Amino acid sequence: MTGTRPKGVRALVRMLVAAVILPLAVAFVGVGTASADPYTRFAGDWVPAPGGVGQIKVRIWFANNGSNKAVYLLDGLRATDDVSGWEHETNAAWLADNGINVVMPVGGQSSFYADWYSPSNLNRQPYTYKWESFLTQNLPDHLARYGISRSSNAVVGLSMGGNAALILAAYHRDQFAFAGSLSGYLNLSAPGMREAIRVAMLDAGGYNADAMWGPPWNSAWLRHDPFVAAPKMRGLSMWISAASGLPGQHDRPNSLVGAFNTSNAMGLEALALAQNRAFQVRLATLGIDAHFSFPARGTHTWGYWQDELWAMLPTMKSAIGA
């Protein structure tokens, strides 16, 4: 249940930094000190997919204090089949040095971490995505073997994964007591959004949105729209973030490719901000509390998502009892 995104030498350098240099750092974003390399408390497992159709790679970093609470980290639209973007691009594994188990499922390109109706025919997908079932049944069963709780955990995602984090927590309240959405698209019923998602999925792996939730008028689109599902989030601890779209410290538009990537990330983040602002109003009208973070600068880029992940850590731990 995977996609592809070649990383090359830069990805290898980032992974070497994560494995060797970062454990020596003094602190992460003002949250504690890296006391040990979390890769000494690591398991890379293959977990059966729902229906016995293959296996899904899962990478786990165990909490340094023996906590039984975990955060599930969900990837973006172009999730890869080697390791999660959270591992490729950030120091998220080091959350484990701060008293929380870190769980990164691998793969799920263009999936929205949902249970699909059928395999995608346009790219000849050989199986049907069943990500919600996997994340709420197969994976908790597997994690229980390590003593990780089935209940009151956290789920955090970016972009596509931000949408999924809120939906998973809304419909599985016993499993998730905290949800974090970073630059998520939280109003799928807004004009043009379903068409935009269809185009984005075609671009990210050639996936057919009809195989996911049916045609745009199918009720499954409403079921997976955080704006519609908002009433189910009452009492859920949430951290919801989107930046302005203006370039900041993590953008490097110093080449033609860099300038193109930055301009693209600016547009994506500006759309996410509009969606997040609409969602903020939606929660306010329902009288539902959530923490909203709207940085003055930032684009649809990993560095800003890493910053928000560390900023939310105290709130996350308090919510799940880690």
Side-chain angles (χ1 to χ4, degrees):
M1 302 174 72
T2 58
T4 58
R5 179 182 60 195
K7 302 303 293 184
V9 174
R10 291 180 61 190
L12 290 175
V13 171
R14 280 192 291 267
M15 293 178 70
L16 287 172
V17 169
V20 179
I21 298 175
L22 285 178
L24 303 179
V26 175
F28 288 120
V29 198
V31 184
T33 299
S35 57
D37 184 347
Y39 279 85
T40 65
R41 305 183 308 277
F42 166 78
D45 295 347
W46 289 90
V47 182
V53 182
Q55 295 179 313
I56 296 174
K57 185 191 296 187
V58 178
R59 293 170 70 80
I60 309 160
W61 292 263
F62 299 103
N64 61 342
N65 64 353
S67 170
N68 69 342
K69 301 299 183 180
V71 56
Y72 295 47
L73 294 179
L74 306 182
D75 213 334
L77 197 72
R78 299 180 186 278
T80 60
D81 60 0
D82 50 0
V83 299
S84 169
W86 285 107
E87 186 176 357
H88 266 311
E89 307 286 355
T90 78
N91 58 19
W94 271 262
L95 292 174
D97 276 355
N98 288 267
I100 188 168
N101 298 286
V102 179
V103 180
M104 296 185 196
V106 177
Q109 184 180 41
S110 287
S111 69
F112 278 81
Y113 293 100
D115 284 357
W116 285 32
Y117 283 130
S118 63
S120 172
N121 58 326
L122 298 181
N123 58 358
R124 299 182 180 180
Q125 187 180 24
Y127 45 75
T128 301
Y129 274 146
K130 293 293 181 183
W131 272 99
E132 182 171 350
S133 294
F134 175 76
L135 293 168
T136 60
Q137 299 172 29
N138 301 62
L139 184 53
D141 287 348
H142 182 81
L143 296 176
R145 300 176 185 179
Y146 292 113
I148 296 177
S149 176
R150 298 174 184 269
S151 61
S152 297
N153 292 300
V155 57
V156 177
L158 71 301
S159 196
M160 171 188 84
N163 173 291
L166 291 179
I167 290 298
L168 287 167
Y171 289 101
H172 302 277
R173 295 294 296 274
D174 287 344
Q175 184 177 358
F176 300 113
F178 176 91
S181 171
L182 309 179
S183 306
Y185 297 103
L186 309 183
N187 186 7
L188 302 188
S189 300
M193 276 304 297
R194 297 178 187 183
E195 293 76 13
I197 288 172
R198 179 178 299 275
V199 171
M201 289 172 60
L202 286 170
D203 184 60
Y207 287 88
N208 184 357
D210 286 346
M212 181 171 67
W213 297 327
W217 52 87
N218 191 291
S219 61
W221 285 89
L222 297 177
R223 195 265 184 189
H224 292 89
D225 186 345
F227 197 89
V228 175
K232 296 182 178 296
M233 301 174 197
R234 189 178 304 277
L236 174 68
S237 180
M238 291 178 276
W239 185 290
I240 299 168
S241 175
S244 65
L246 296 175
Q249 62 176 329
H250 299 300
D251 294 290
R252 299 290 183 268
N254 52 3
S255 67
L256 184 61
V257 172
F260 174 80
N261 289 339
T262 296
S263 62
N264 186 51
M266 290 171 64
L268 290 171
E269 195 67 8
L271 176 58
L273 177 61
Q275 294 255 308
N276 279 249
R277 287 293 192 183
F279 189 69
Q280 183 183 31
V281 173
R282 169 69 165 157
L283 291 189
T285 61
L286 293 171
I288 296 175
D289 292 329
H291 178 92
F292 284 88
S293 174
F294 298 120
R297 287 192 174 272
T299 63
H300 213 68
T301 305
W302 280 102
Y304 304 107
W305 298 325
Q306 175 178 280
D307 291 347
E308 287 293 318
L309 182 66
W310 285 97
M312 74 174 67
L313 179 59
T315 302
M316 179 199 306
K317 290 182 63 176
S318 176
I320 68 177

